[in-house]
Amino acid sequence: MNLTYPFLLYLHIFSVILSVGPFFILLPLLKKLRVAGPGHEEAYLDTFKAAVRLAKHAGHILVVTGVLLVWITKRSWTTSWLLTTIVILICSLYFLARAFSPTIRRFKDPEEQRAELTSKLKRTIWIYLALMLSMLWFMVAKPQLWT
């Protein structure tokens, strides 16, 4: 029995969990970050940085296993749900690279308003989750958008 496909599919799904899951955990941390003192604030920001770093590295596994799964199954790269997923993936990669780190760095500036920054982080998390969950929907439902 060939275990290549199930193994790659497992890695692919596991990398999605690693890319999305930590951001749900960050949502409750935002409330604590908003009122945290200087010592605790750094710990919460380190958690955010770790989640972003985990998502980036899991994204590498996600892309590699995705390409291998398309290659193994001999799917066409022009399939509508696959192309749509790739477009969303590119948007989410760009968003992940540009959205979190600059905001987290702004916390070091004592002149910045903490409430404004935590609100921005909350918005950023929800946008990233919307991108990732829409991509997940396309991968699971595989809708035929065009022929």
Side-chain angles (χ1 to χ4, degrees):
M1 176 179 190
N2 187 355
L3 294 176
T4 305
Y5 177 79
F7 178 71
L8 286 173
L9 184 60
Y10 175 82
L11 282 178
H12 193 66
I13 293 169
F14 186 63
S15 64
V16 169
I17 293 167
L18 291 177
S19 294
V20 177
F23 290 91
F24 284 105
I25 304 298
L26 293 178
L27 288 169
L29 285 181
L30 284 172
K31 292 176 186 172
K32 294 181 181 186
L33 179 61
R34 188 180 300 262
V35 296
H40 292 103
E41 183 180 273
E42 192 61 36
Y44 293 129
L45 292 174
D46 286 344
T47 304
F48 271 86
K49 291 176 196 173
V52 171
R53 195 170 25 254
L54 177 63
K56 286 179 182 179
H57 292 305
H60 296 128
I61 298 168
L62 184 68
V63 169
V64 170
T65 56
V67 168
L68 290 173
L69 286 167
V70 170
W71 180 62
I72 285 174
T73 59
K74 297 178 179 32
R75 290 196 189 270
S76 171
W77 287 98
T78 59
T79 306
S80 63
W81 61 267
L82 188 55
L83 278 176
T84 305
T85 302
I86 291 169
V87 169
I88 296 171
L89 173 68
I90 291 167
C91 292
S92 71
L93 291 173
Y94 179 77
F95 184 78
L96 186 63
R98 302 296 305 156
F100 286 99
S101 296
T103 304
I104 292 170
R105 276 194 299 272
R106 287 176 56 196
F107 272 91
K108 292 182 181 179
D109 184 356
E111 301 292 318
E112 290 286 348
Q113 297 294 321
R114 299 298 186 252
E116 180 186 318
L117 291 175
T118 53
S119 293
K120 185 172 182 179
L121 277 177
K122 184 177 184 178
R123 236 182 356 267
T124 302
I125 289 170
W126 281 113
I127 292 169
Y128 178 72
L129 286 173
L131 287 167
M132 294 302 289
L133 293 175
S134 62
M135 194 171 14
L136 180 61
W137 182 82
F138 278 103
M139 296 302 291
V140 172
K142 296 178 178 34
Q144 179 101 17
L145 303 175
W146 63 81
T147 53

